[in-house]
Amino acid sequence: MKNIEREQINKVIGDVFMQFPFMFAEPIERDEIEEVVGPIYRAIMVFHGDFSGKIEILLPKEVGVELTKNLLSDEFDEQVVPEREVVDSIKELANVICGHSLTTLFGEERIFNVDPPIVSNVTQKEWLDSLVSDDAFYFLVDDTPMFLEFKHCNEGV
Amino acid sequence: MKYKILIVDDSELTRKIMTKTLSMTCLDIGEFIYASNGREALKKLDENWIDIVFADINMPVMNGIEMIEKMHEDGILKTVPVVMVSTDGSQARIEELKMKGIRAYIRKPFKPELVRDVVNDLLGEK
Ligand SMILES: [Mg+2]
């Protein structure tokens, strides 16, 4: 991935978190990532069009819970946030990130078809294994690490 | 006049966010009605007098585009303004949707002020 693309993606993520759930996402280096405790989620979004590819996001449940609370304010102030709501929030976040990344990288004249996001749980080992990719981006979202990988190729599918 | 608003989205979370956002505006809203896909929305449109529809594009059973096509086959339903809400930023896609008959497009994430302006624009007294 080119440096200019990296800068664009970093900006998209920062803007999306700021405008959407009002959270602060700051790009960090791989070696700044600390161990994560608790469950981890993975969201995958596949897109097709003039360019095709996928966006993969890995984030600890902690970020998902915070995200849900911010999106639905008042609803879960003092209560435990149900799993289903957390998964739906992560899907919505992935949708927004994907939509904005595509126009930022490829312009507003292209049409992409995006499959619905798929959210699943990953193990600590999968989390650590994914941290070696060269296409990866790392962020601290309100002090919790998040990982994003953006892969695309020029052939339409 | 209190507005009756139909929110069509397969994600319950998105329906809640839309409701919350609309409620944050000073719009005079009488009632929210919900549907989780286009087919359900057509049924709700049949049973209720709806002032404005906010609809998602990608939904199972019947998507937002099929829904608007069906609405345009009906003399009365085609007069109900439909606002599409999506994360897609493609101008080409938005033009395509306007050709299908949507009256406005809102890109996510959005602020309450934008939603208010769109409603006032489409329903406000001129
Ligand atoms: Mg949808």
Side-chain angles (χ1 to χ4, degrees):
Chain A
M1 182 157 262
K2 296 181 217 118
N3 275 341
I4 175 91
E5 290 184 338
R6 295 198 70 87
E7 277 170 34
Q8 287 173 319
I9 295 279
N10 282 336
K11 186 171 183 321
V12 166
I13 302 298
D15 289 351
V16 164
F17 270 96
M18 194 50 95
Q19 290 165 21
F20 178 52
F22 306 109
M23 289 165 87
F24 192 68
E26 170 199 12
I28 52 168
E29 295 297 324
R30 184 185 314 181
D31 51 18
E32 292 175 77
I33 292 200
E34 289 170 19
E35 207 182 319
V36 172
V37 280
I40 300 164
Y41 288 99
R42 172 198 280 138
I44 294 180
M45 297 215 65
V46 175
F47 56 89
H48 322 266
D50 295 340
F51 295 85
S52 58
K54 69 169 184 175
I55 296 178
E56 193 171 328
I57 299 165
L58 268 75
L59 77 179
K61 185 174 180 182
E62 216 182 309
V63 179
V65 168
E66 224 27 61
L67 175 69
T68 314
K69 285 186 171 175
N70 283 23
L71 290 179
L72 297 176
S73 38
D74 37 34
E75 195 171 330
F76 297 112
D77 273 352
E78 300 299 324
Q79 314 160 35
V80 177
V81 180
E83 178 91 9
R84 188 174 53 89
E85 303 274 4
V86 176
V87 170
D88 280 354
S89 302
I90 295 172
K91 284 184 182 171
E92 187 62 9
L93 173 76
N95 263 322
V96 176
I97 288 177
C98 186
H100 285 262
S101 302
L102 292 176
T103 33
T104 301
L105 290 178
F106 306 119
E108 292 185 342
E109 292 313 313
R110 296 181 189 276
I111 293 186
F112 290 98
N113 290 308
V114 182
D115 294 345
I118 296 166
V119 174
S120 58
N121 279 99
V122 293
T123 61
Q124 286 284 340
K125 187 180 178 308
E126 286 175 284
W127 162 263
L128 291 172
D129 287 349
S130 62
L131 300 181
V132 299
S133 161
D134 284 333
D135 293 318
F137 294 80
Y138 309 97
F139 299 90
L140 267 188
V141 180
D142 288 355
D143 295 328
T144 309
M146 184 187 102
F147 156 97
L148 181 141
E149 186 179 49
F150 192 103
K151 281 188 171 161
H152 65 85
C153 59
N154 289 36
E155 312 143 49
V157 174
Chain B
M1 185 189 83
K2 288 188 185 299
Y3 298 136
K4 223 178 202 186
I5 299 180
L6 174 62
I7 298 174
V8 192
D9 201 302
D10 55 323
S11 156
E12 190 192 346
L13 177 101
T14 309
R15 296 197 298 267
K16 283 183 186 171
I17 295 174
M18 198 72 223
T19 307
K20 196 184 97 183
T21 309
L22 280 156
S23 305
M24 283 164 76
T25 67
C26 52
L27 293 166
D28 194 7
I29 299 167
E31 193 183 346
F32 288 107
I33 294 175
Y34 302 97
S36 59
N37 61 60
R39 188 174 301 161
E40 246 181 69
L42 293 173
K43 192 163 174 278
K44 299 283 161 116
L45 281 159
D46 219 32
E47 297 164 351
N48 301 273
W49 180 265
I50 304 283
D51 294 292
I52 190 165
V53 181
F54 286 90
D56 182 20
I57 302 175
N58 299 318
M59 294 178 286
V61 186
M62 182 188 283
N63 68 35
I65 296 170
E66 292 166 317
M67 178 194 81
I68 199 157
E69 283 169 352
K70 286 273 174 222
M71 286 175 72
H72 276 253
E73 287 170 14
D74 182 294
I76 295 172
L77 290 188
K78 74 176 177 195
T79 64
V80 181
V82 176
V83 181
M84 276 293 172
V85 185
S86 173
T87 58
D88 201 326
S90 157
Q91 286 307 316
R93 168 67 45 89
I94 296 167
E95 276 317 306
E96 195 182 286
L97 291 168
K98 289 200 167 143
M99 301 279 280
K100 295 266 181 207
I102 68 157
R103 298 283 298 281
Y105 180 84
I106 292 180
R107 189 180 191 193
K108 294 196 257 189
F110 47 78
K111 292 204 165 69
E113 298 79 50
L114 174 69
V115 182
R116 176 202 62 200
D117 291 349
V118 166
V119 174
N120 278 336
D121 211 36
L122 295 171
L123 300 180
E125 279 110 81
K126 298 272 153 64

